Short mmCIF file of all heavy atoms in Angstrom, two decimals:
data_model
loop_
_atom_site.label_atom_id
_atom_site.label_comp_id
_atom_site.label_asym_id
_atom_site.label_seq_id
_atom_site.Cartn_x
_atom_site.Cartn_y
_atom_site.Cartn_z
N THR A 1270 8.50 9.23 -8.03
CA THR A 1270 8.74 9.88 -9.32
C THR A 1270 10.12 9.45 -9.81
O THR A 1270 10.78 8.63 -9.17
CB THR A 1270 8.71 11.42 -9.17
OG1 THR A 1270 9.80 11.82 -8.33
CG2 THR A 1270 7.39 11.90 -8.58
N GLU A 1271 10.55 10.04 -10.90
CA GLU A 1271 11.89 9.76 -11.41
C GLU A 1271 12.96 10.07 -10.35
O GLU A 1271 14.02 9.45 -10.33
CB GLU A 1271 12.16 10.57 -12.67
CG GLU A 1271 11.16 10.35 -13.79
CD GLU A 1271 11.26 8.97 -14.40
OE1 GLU A 1271 12.38 8.44 -14.51
OE2 GLU A 1271 10.20 8.42 -14.77
N ALA A 1272 12.67 11.02 -9.49
CA ALA A 1272 13.62 11.43 -8.45
C ALA A 1272 13.62 10.50 -7.25
O ALA A 1272 14.48 10.60 -6.39
CB ALA A 1272 13.30 12.86 -7.99
N GLY A 1273 12.65 9.58 -7.19
CA GLY A 1273 12.59 8.65 -6.07
C GLY A 1273 11.29 8.78 -5.31
O GLY A 1273 10.33 9.40 -5.78
N PRO A 1274 11.25 8.21 -4.09
CA PRO A 1274 10.01 8.26 -3.31
C PRO A 1274 9.77 9.66 -2.75
O PRO A 1274 10.70 10.47 -2.67
CB PRO A 1274 10.27 7.25 -2.18
CG PRO A 1274 11.75 7.25 -2.02
CD PRO A 1274 12.31 7.48 -3.40
N PRO A 1275 8.53 9.93 -2.36
CA PRO A 1275 8.24 11.23 -1.74
C PRO A 1275 8.99 11.34 -0.41
O PRO A 1275 9.40 10.33 0.16
CB PRO A 1275 6.73 11.19 -1.48
CG PRO A 1275 6.22 9.99 -2.19
CD PRO A 1275 7.36 9.09 -2.47
N PRO A 1276 9.13 12.55 0.11
CA PRO A 1276 9.78 12.72 1.42
C PRO A 1276 9.02 11.95 2.51
O PRO A 1276 7.80 11.80 2.45
CB PRO A 1276 9.70 14.23 1.67
CG PRO A 1276 9.46 14.85 0.34
CD PRO A 1276 8.73 13.83 -0.48
N ALA A 1277 9.76 11.47 3.48
CA ALA A 1277 9.19 10.66 4.55
C ALA A 1277 8.07 11.39 5.29
O ALA A 1277 7.07 10.77 5.68
CB ALA A 1277 10.28 10.23 5.53
N ASP A 1278 8.20 12.70 5.47
CA ASP A 1278 7.16 13.43 6.19
C ASP A 1278 5.85 13.45 5.41
O ASP A 1278 4.76 13.45 5.98
CB ASP A 1278 7.61 14.84 6.57
CG ASP A 1278 7.92 15.72 5.37
OD1 ASP A 1278 8.46 15.22 4.37
OD2 ASP A 1278 7.64 16.93 5.47
N ARG A 1279 5.91 13.45 4.08
CA ARG A 1279 4.70 13.40 3.26
C ARG A 1279 4.04 12.02 3.36
O ARG A 1279 2.81 11.91 3.39
CB ARG A 1279 5.01 13.71 1.79
CG ARG A 1279 5.52 15.10 1.55
CD ARG A 1279 4.48 16.15 1.86
NE ARG A 1279 3.40 16.08 0.89
CZ ARG A 1279 2.22 16.65 1.04
NH1 ARG A 1279 1.96 17.35 2.11
NH2 ARG A 1279 1.30 16.54 0.13
N ILE A 1280 4.85 10.97 3.41
CA ILE A 1280 4.31 9.62 3.57
C ILE A 1280 3.62 9.50 4.92
O ILE A 1280 2.53 8.93 5.03
CB ILE A 1280 5.42 8.56 3.41
CG1 ILE A 1280 6.00 8.58 2.00
CG2 ILE A 1280 4.92 7.16 3.79
CD1 ILE A 1280 5.04 8.19 0.90
N GLU A 1281 4.25 10.03 5.97
CA GLU A 1281 3.64 9.99 7.30
C GLU A 1281 2.32 10.75 7.32
O GLU A 1281 1.34 10.30 7.91
CB GLU A 1281 4.59 10.55 8.35
CG GLU A 1281 5.78 9.65 8.63
CD GLU A 1281 5.37 8.23 9.00
OE1 GLU A 1281 4.47 8.04 9.85
OE2 GLU A 1281 5.94 7.28 8.42
N TRP A 1282 2.28 11.91 6.66
CA TRP A 1282 1.05 12.68 6.58
C TRP A 1282 -0.04 11.87 5.87
O TRP A 1282 -1.18 11.80 6.32
CB TRP A 1282 1.29 14.01 5.83
CG TRP A 1282 0.03 14.75 5.55
CD1 TRP A 1282 -0.64 15.59 6.39
CD2 TRP A 1282 -0.76 14.67 4.36
NE1 TRP A 1282 -1.79 16.04 5.78
CE2 TRP A 1282 -1.88 15.49 4.52
CE3 TRP A 1282 -0.61 13.98 3.15
CZ2 TRP A 1282 -2.85 15.66 3.54
CZ3 TRP A 1282 -1.58 14.13 2.18
CH2 TRP A 1282 -2.68 14.97 2.39
N LEU A 1283 0.32 11.24 4.76
CA LEU A 1283 -0.63 10.43 4.01
C LEU A 1283 -1.17 9.29 4.86
O LEU A 1283 -2.37 9.03 4.86
CB LEU A 1283 0.02 9.88 2.74
CG LEU A 1283 -0.92 9.02 1.92
CD1 LEU A 1283 -1.44 9.81 0.73
CD2 LEU A 1283 -0.23 7.78 1.46
N CYS A 1284 -0.30 8.62 5.61
CA CYS A 1284 -0.74 7.51 6.47
C CYS A 1284 -1.70 8.00 7.55
O CYS A 1284 -2.72 7.36 7.81
CB CYS A 1284 0.47 6.80 7.08
SG CYS A 1284 1.42 5.86 5.86
N ARG A 1285 -1.38 9.13 8.18
CA ARG A 1285 -2.29 9.68 9.19
C ARG A 1285 -3.63 10.04 8.57
O ARG A 1285 -4.69 9.77 9.15
CB ARG A 1285 -1.67 10.92 9.85
CG ARG A 1285 -0.59 10.61 10.85
CD ARG A 1285 -0.21 11.84 11.68
NE ARG A 1285 0.10 13.00 10.87
CZ ARG A 1285 1.29 13.31 10.38
NH1 ARG A 1285 2.33 12.52 10.62
NH2 ARG A 1285 1.48 14.41 9.67
N ASP A 1286 -3.59 10.62 7.40
CA ASP A 1286 -4.82 11.01 6.71
C ASP A 1286 -5.63 9.76 6.32
O ASP A 1286 -6.86 9.75 6.44
CB ASP A 1286 -4.48 11.85 5.48
CG ASP A 1286 -5.64 12.69 5.02
OD1 ASP A 1286 -6.27 13.35 5.87
OD2 ASP A 1286 -5.90 12.70 3.80
N PHE A 1287 -4.97 8.73 5.87
CA PHE A 1287 -5.64 7.49 5.50
C PHE A 1287 -6.31 6.86 6.72
O PHE A 1287 -7.47 6.41 6.64
CB PHE A 1287 -4.64 6.51 4.87
CG PHE A 1287 -5.27 5.23 4.39
CD1 PHE A 1287 -5.99 5.19 3.21
CD2 PHE A 1287 -5.14 4.07 5.13
CE1 PHE A 1287 -6.58 4.01 2.76
CE2 PHE A 1287 -5.73 2.89 4.68
CZ PHE A 1287 -6.45 2.86 3.51
N ILE A 1288 -5.63 6.83 7.84
CA ILE A 1288 -6.20 6.28 9.07
C ILE A 1288 -7.42 7.09 9.50
O ILE A 1288 -8.45 6.53 9.89
CB ILE A 1288 -5.14 6.19 10.18
CG1 ILE A 1288 -4.13 5.09 9.82
CG2 ILE A 1288 -5.78 5.90 11.53
CD1 ILE A 1288 -2.89 5.08 10.66
N ASP A 1289 -7.33 8.41 9.38
CA ASP A 1289 -8.48 9.25 9.71
C ASP A 1289 -9.64 8.94 8.77
O ASP A 1289 -10.79 8.85 9.19
CB ASP A 1289 -8.08 10.73 9.62
CG ASP A 1289 -9.22 11.64 10.00
OD1 ASP A 1289 -9.75 11.49 11.13
OD2 ASP A 1289 -9.58 12.51 9.19
N PHE A 1290 -9.33 8.75 7.50
CA PHE A 1290 -10.35 8.39 6.51
C PHE A 1290 -11.02 7.07 6.91
O PHE A 1290 -12.25 6.96 6.89
CB PHE A 1290 -9.69 8.28 5.13
CG PHE A 1290 -10.60 7.79 4.05
CD1 PHE A 1290 -11.60 8.60 3.52
CD2 PHE A 1290 -10.45 6.51 3.54
CE1 PHE A 1290 -12.44 8.15 2.51
CE2 PHE A 1290 -11.28 6.05 2.53
CZ PHE A 1290 -12.27 6.86 2.02
N LEU A 1291 -10.22 6.08 7.30
CA LEU A 1291 -10.78 4.78 7.71
C LEU A 1291 -11.73 4.93 8.89
O LEU A 1291 -12.76 4.27 8.96
CB LEU A 1291 -9.67 3.80 8.07
CG LEU A 1291 -8.87 3.21 6.92
CD1 LEU A 1291 -7.80 2.26 7.46
CD2 LEU A 1291 -9.75 2.48 5.93
N ARG A 1292 -11.38 5.79 9.82
CA ARG A 1292 -12.24 6.00 10.99
C ARG A 1292 -13.61 6.55 10.59
O ARG A 1292 -14.59 6.28 11.26
CB ARG A 1292 -11.58 6.99 11.95
CG ARG A 1292 -10.48 6.41 12.76
CD ARG A 1292 -10.03 7.39 13.84
NE ARG A 1292 -8.85 6.88 14.49
CZ ARG A 1292 -7.63 7.38 14.35
NH1 ARG A 1292 -7.43 8.46 13.64
NH2 ARG A 1292 -6.61 6.83 14.97
N GLN A 1293 -13.65 7.31 9.54
CA GLN A 1293 -14.87 8.02 9.18
C GLN A 1293 -15.78 7.27 8.21
O GLN A 1293 -16.94 7.64 8.05
CB GLN A 1293 -14.52 9.38 8.59
CG GLN A 1293 -13.85 10.26 9.61
CD GLN A 1293 -13.52 11.62 9.06
OE1 GLN A 1293 -14.27 12.17 8.28
NE2 GLN A 1293 -12.38 12.16 9.47
N ILE A 1294 -15.29 6.23 7.55
CA ILE A 1294 -16.11 5.61 6.50
C ILE A 1294 -16.97 4.45 6.97
O ILE A 1294 -17.73 3.90 6.20
CB ILE A 1294 -15.25 5.17 5.29
CG1 ILE A 1294 -14.22 4.12 5.69
CG2 ILE A 1294 -14.65 6.36 4.62
CD1 ILE A 1294 -13.50 3.52 4.52
N GLY A 1295 -16.86 4.08 8.22
CA GLY A 1295 -17.73 3.03 8.75
C GLY A 1295 -17.45 1.66 8.17
O GLY A 1295 -16.31 1.26 8.02
N PRO A 1296 -18.52 0.93 7.81
CA PRO A 1296 -18.37 -0.45 7.37
C PRO A 1296 -17.49 -0.63 6.12
O PRO A 1296 -16.90 -1.68 5.93
CB PRO A 1296 -19.80 -0.90 7.07
CG PRO A 1296 -20.66 0.04 7.82
CD PRO A 1296 -19.91 1.33 7.90
N ALA A 1297 -17.39 0.39 5.29
CA ALA A 1297 -16.57 0.27 4.08
C ALA A 1297 -15.08 0.13 4.41
O ALA A 1297 -14.30 -0.28 3.55
CB ALA A 1297 -16.79 1.49 3.18
N ARG A 1298 -14.70 0.43 5.64
CA ARG A 1298 -13.27 0.32 5.99
C ARG A 1298 -12.77 -1.11 5.81
O ARG A 1298 -11.61 -1.32 5.52
CB ARG A 1298 -13.01 0.84 7.40
CG ARG A 1298 -13.31 -0.10 8.51
CD ARG A 1298 -12.87 0.44 9.87
NE ARG A 1298 -13.48 1.70 10.16
CZ ARG A 1298 -14.44 1.90 11.06
NH1 ARG A 1298 -14.87 0.88 11.78
NH2 ARG A 1298 -14.95 3.08 11.26
N ARG A 1299 -13.66 -2.07 5.95
CA ARG A 1299 -13.27 -3.47 5.78
C ARG A 1299 -12.73 -3.71 4.36
O ARG A 1299 -11.74 -4.42 4.18
CB ARG A 1299 -14.47 -4.37 6.06
CG ARG A 1299 -14.11 -5.82 6.19
CD ARG A 1299 -15.28 -6.66 6.69
NE ARG A 1299 -15.68 -6.22 8.02
CZ ARG A 1299 -16.93 -5.93 8.36
NH1 ARG A 1299 -17.90 -6.03 7.48
NH2 ARG A 1299 -17.22 -5.55 9.58
N THR A 1300 -13.34 -3.09 3.37
CA THR A 1300 -12.90 -3.23 1.98
C THR A 1300 -11.48 -2.69 1.81
O THR A 1300 -10.63 -3.31 1.18
CB THR A 1300 -13.86 -2.51 1.03
OG1 THR A 1300 -15.15 -3.06 1.20
CG2 THR A 1300 -13.42 -2.65 -0.41
N PHE A 1301 -11.22 -1.52 2.38
CA PHE A 1301 -9.89 -0.92 2.28
C PHE A 1301 -8.85 -1.77 3.00
O PHE A 1301 -7.75 -1.98 2.50
CB PHE A 1301 -9.89 0.50 2.84
CG PHE A 1301 -10.52 1.49 1.93
CD1 PHE A 1301 -11.87 1.79 2.03
CD2 PHE A 1301 -9.78 2.12 0.93
CE1 PHE A 1301 -12.47 2.70 1.18
CE2 PHE A 1301 -10.37 3.02 0.07
CZ PHE A 1301 -11.72 3.32 0.20
N ARG A 1302 -9.20 -2.27 4.16
CA ARG A 1302 -8.25 -3.10 4.91
C ARG A 1302 -7.99 -4.41 4.18
O ARG A 1302 -6.86 -4.89 4.14
CB ARG A 1302 -8.77 -3.33 6.32
CG ARG A 1302 -8.76 -2.03 7.13
CD ARG A 1302 -9.27 -2.20 8.50
NE ARG A 1302 -8.24 -2.92 9.26
CZ ARG A 1302 -8.36 -3.22 10.52
NH1 ARG A 1302 -9.44 -2.87 11.19
NH2 ARG A 1302 -7.40 -3.86 11.15
N LEU A 1303 -9.01 -5.00 3.58
CA LEU A 1303 -8.82 -6.23 2.80
C LEU A 1303 -7.97 -5.98 1.56
O LEU A 1303 -7.13 -6.81 1.20
CB LEU A 1303 -10.16 -6.84 2.41
CG LEU A 1303 -10.93 -7.53 3.53
CD1 LEU A 1303 -12.32 -7.94 3.07
CD2 LEU A 1303 -10.16 -8.72 4.05
N SER A 1304 -8.16 -4.84 0.92
CA SER A 1304 -7.33 -4.50 -0.24
C SER A 1304 -5.86 -4.34 0.17
O SER A 1304 -4.96 -4.80 -0.54
CB SER A 1304 -7.83 -3.22 -0.90
OG SER A 1304 -9.06 -3.45 -1.50
N LEU A 1305 -5.64 -3.69 1.30
CA LEU A 1305 -4.27 -3.54 1.80
C LEU A 1305 -3.66 -4.89 2.12
O LEU A 1305 -2.51 -5.17 1.75
CB LEU A 1305 -4.26 -2.63 3.03
CG LEU A 1305 -2.92 -2.35 3.69
CD1 LEU A 1305 -1.96 -1.68 2.71
CD2 LEU A 1305 -3.11 -1.47 4.92
N LEU A 1306 -4.43 -5.77 2.74
CA LEU A 1306 -3.95 -7.12 3.04
C LEU A 1306 -3.66 -7.89 1.75
O LEU A 1306 -2.64 -8.57 1.64
CB LEU A 1306 -4.99 -7.85 3.90
CG LEU A 1306 -4.64 -9.28 4.29
CD1 LEU A 1306 -3.40 -9.30 5.18
CD2 LEU A 1306 -5.81 -9.92 5.02
N ALA A 1307 -4.56 -7.77 0.77
CA ALA A 1307 -4.34 -8.46 -0.51
C ALA A 1307 -3.06 -7.99 -1.18
O ALA A 1307 -2.27 -8.80 -1.67
CB ALA A 1307 -5.55 -8.23 -1.43
N LEU A 1308 -2.84 -6.68 -1.18
CA LEU A 1308 -1.62 -6.16 -1.79
C LEU A 1308 -0.37 -6.59 -1.02
O LEU A 1308 0.66 -6.87 -1.62
CB LEU A 1308 -1.69 -4.64 -1.91
CG LEU A 1308 -2.64 -4.14 -2.98
CD1 LEU A 1308 -2.77 -2.63 -2.91
CD2 LEU A 1308 -2.17 -4.57 -4.36
N ALA A 1309 -0.48 -6.65 0.30
CA ALA A 1309 0.67 -7.09 1.11
C ALA A 1309 1.05 -8.52 0.75
O ALA A 1309 2.22 -8.90 0.82
CB ALA A 1309 0.35 -6.98 2.59
N PHE A 1310 0.07 -9.31 0.33
CA PHE A 1310 0.32 -10.69 -0.07
C PHE A 1310 0.72 -10.79 -1.54
O PHE A 1310 1.63 -11.53 -1.90
CB PHE A 1310 -0.95 -11.52 0.20
CG PHE A 1310 -0.86 -12.94 -0.24
CD1 PHE A 1310 -0.11 -13.85 0.48
CD2 PHE A 1310 -1.51 -13.38 -1.38
CE1 PHE A 1310 0.00 -15.17 0.07
CE2 PHE A 1310 -1.43 -14.69 -1.80
CZ PHE A 1310 -0.67 -15.59 -1.07
N LEU A 1311 0.04 -10.02 -2.41
CA LEU A 1311 0.24 -10.14 -3.86
C LEU A 1311 1.52 -9.48 -4.38
O LEU A 1311 2.13 -9.99 -5.32
CB LEU A 1311 -0.96 -9.56 -4.61
CG LEU A 1311 -2.26 -10.33 -4.48
CD1 LEU A 1311 -3.40 -9.55 -5.11
CD2 LEU A 1311 -2.13 -11.71 -5.10
N VAL A 1312 1.90 -8.35 -3.79
CA VAL A 1312 3.09 -7.64 -4.30
C VAL A 1312 4.35 -8.51 -4.21
O VAL A 1312 5.07 -8.64 -5.19
CB VAL A 1312 3.26 -6.26 -3.62
CG1 VAL A 1312 4.61 -5.65 -3.94
CG2 VAL A 1312 2.14 -5.32 -4.06
N PRO A 1313 4.63 -9.14 -3.06
CA PRO A 1313 5.82 -10.02 -3.04
C PRO A 1313 5.71 -11.17 -4.05
O PRO A 1313 6.71 -11.55 -4.66
CB PRO A 1313 5.86 -10.53 -1.60
CG PRO A 1313 5.16 -9.47 -0.82
CD PRO A 1313 4.06 -8.99 -1.73
N LEU A 1314 4.50 -11.72 -4.23
CA LEU A 1314 4.34 -12.79 -5.23
C LEU A 1314 4.65 -12.27 -6.62
O LEU A 1314 5.35 -12.92 -7.40
CB LEU A 1314 2.91 -13.34 -5.19
CG LEU A 1314 2.55 -14.22 -4.01
CD1 LEU A 1314 1.08 -14.64 -4.11
CD2 LEU A 1314 3.44 -15.44 -3.94
N ALA A 1315 4.12 -11.08 -6.94
CA ALA A 1315 4.37 -10.50 -8.26
C ALA A 1315 5.83 -10.13 -8.44
O ALA A 1315 6.34 -10.11 -9.56
CB ALA A 1315 3.48 -9.27 -8.47
N ALA A 1316 6.52 -9.84 -7.34
CA ALA A 1316 7.95 -9.52 -7.39
C ALA A 1316 8.81 -10.79 -7.38
O ALA A 1316 10.03 -10.71 -7.42
CB ALA A 1316 8.33 -8.62 -6.21
N ARG A 1317 8.13 -11.93 -7.27
CA ARG A 1317 8.82 -13.23 -7.19
C ARG A 1317 9.82 -13.24 -6.03
O ARG A 1317 10.99 -13.60 -6.17
CB ARG A 1317 9.49 -13.56 -8.51
CG ARG A 1317 8.51 -13.73 -9.64
CD ARG A 1317 9.20 -13.90 -10.97
NE ARG A 1317 8.26 -14.07 -12.05
CZ ARG A 1317 7.75 -13.07 -12.76
NH1 ARG A 1317 8.08 -11.83 -12.49
NH2 ARG A 1317 6.90 -13.31 -13.74
#
Side-chain angles (χ1 to χ4, degrees):
T1270 65
E1271 303 291 324
D1278 62 323
R1279 296 295 292 165
I1280 296 295
E1281 289 306 313
W1282 172 84
L1283 180 102
C1284 289
R1285 284 191 309 272
D1286 201 47
F1287 183 77
I1288 290 168
D1289 183 56
F1290 174 74
L1291 286 179
R1292 283 189 188 109
Q1293 296 181 37
I1294 62 172
R1298 82 174 57 108
R1299 192 170 298 129
T1300 301
F1301 285 92
R1302 293 179 73 178
L1303 286 173
S1304 291
L1305 180 60
L1306 180 64
L1308 287 173
F1310 177 74
L1311 291 172
V1312 169
L1314 287 178
R1317 297 173 179 90

